[in-house]
């Protein structure tokens, strides 16, 4: 059985009346926040997810069908799924961030290199062209590895391999 306030909210949602959001917030925000907090511990992130939840509720209001689910069930699913999506997005973001301390890309030592003869552009031409292109893009054009991958239409893994091999070849020139 549908309550009076729930019925009013459904009617307002179908009409895209902005009063529906106010009523939803007044009547369901605390419960939805509780749902979100079970998935996300961080207060600020949970508040953001609550906001995203209400945006989604508004966006999908016309799709709500009272014959398929009670209003709270529908709201619960949106809140829960939004929280799960946010958790996954944050996890993926953290996994994709390059950890400078653990990355060996920037740990190229130059102690053994003679700084007086360090003219990379001149010696770059003595290594294979495929390595020249990558080193030139990364060091002289200032591209990131991802940008070089996209610009040169070369897979990211290949960019990394060619950088590593190219630098090894340059090192042989400077430190025979």
């Amino acid at each position: 059985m549908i309550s009076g306030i729930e019925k009013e909210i459904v009617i307002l949602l179908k009409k895209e009346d902005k009063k529906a959001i106010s009523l939803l917030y007044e009547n369901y925000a605390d419960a939805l926040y509780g749902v979100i907090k079970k998935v996300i511990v961080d207060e600020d992130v949970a508040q953001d997810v609550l906001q995203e939840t209400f945006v989604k509720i508004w966006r999908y209001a016309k799709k709500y069908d009272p014959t398929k689910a009670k209003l709270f069930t529908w709201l619960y699913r949106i809140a829960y799924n939004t929280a799960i999506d946010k958790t996954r997005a944050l996890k993926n973001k953290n996994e994709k961030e390059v950890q400078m301390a653990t990355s060996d890309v920037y740990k190229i030592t130059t102690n053994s290199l003679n700084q007086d003869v360090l003219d990379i552009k001149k010696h770059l031409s003595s290594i294979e062209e495929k390595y020249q292109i990558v080193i030139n893009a990364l060091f002289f054009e200032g591209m990131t590895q991802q940008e070089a991958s996209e610009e040169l239409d070369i897979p990211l893994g290949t960019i990394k391999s060619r950088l590593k091999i190219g630098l090894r070849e340059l090192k042989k020139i400077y430190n025979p």
Side-chain angles (χ1 to χ4, degrees), residues 59-109:
R59 188 179 312 141
Y60 301 123
K62 286 220 175 220
K63 293 183 179 182
Y64 172 64
D65 183 354
T67 63
K68 289 185 179 178
K70 289 183 177 183
L71 181 62
F72 182 74
T73 305
W74 184 70
L75 299 171
Y76 174 95
R77 286 184 190 144
I78 292 173
Y80 182 78
N81 290 338
T82 304
I84 294 295
D85 290 347
K86 179 61 89 173
T87 302
R88 288 180 183 149
L90 292 172
K91 182 178 179 238
N92 287 341
K93 180 180 179 239
N94 290 338
E95 287 175 359
K96 288 179 182 175
E97 286 180 355
V98 175
Q99 303 299 320
M100 292 298 186
T102 59
S103 174
D104 60 352
V105 172
Y106 298 102
K107 294 181 181 174
I108 302 163
T109 59

Side-chain angles (χ1 to χ4, degrees), residues 36-44 46:
I36 292 165
K37 284 293 287 173
K38 288 184 189 273
V39 178
I40 297 175
V41 179
D42 185 288
E43 294 278 334
D44 293 332

Side-chain angles (χ1 to χ4, degrees), residues 3-39:
S3 72
I5 192 74
E6 191 174 322
K7 194 174 191 177
E8 183 181 351
I9 290 171
V10 171
I11 291 168
L12 292 171
L13 278 173
K14 294 292 180 186
K15 290 182 185 175
E16 294 184 344
D17 189 323
K18 291 182 181 172
K19 284 186 241 167
I21 286 292
S22 297
L23 288 172
L24 278 169
Y25 199 85
E26 285 173 28
N27 291 284
Y28 295 101
D30 291 339
L32 295 177
Y33 186 70
V35 169
I36 292 165
K37 284 293 287 173
K38 288 184 189 273
V39 178

Side-chain angles (χ1 to χ4, degrees), residues 2 4 7 12 42 45 49 62 88 113 116 126-127 158 164 172 175:
I2 221 167
K7 194 174 191 177
L12 292 171
D42 185 288
V45 176
V49 170
K62 286 220 175 220
R88 288 180 183 149
L113 301 179
D116 296 332
S126 63
I127 64 173
T158 305
K164 187 175 181 180
K172 287 178 188 174
N175 192 13

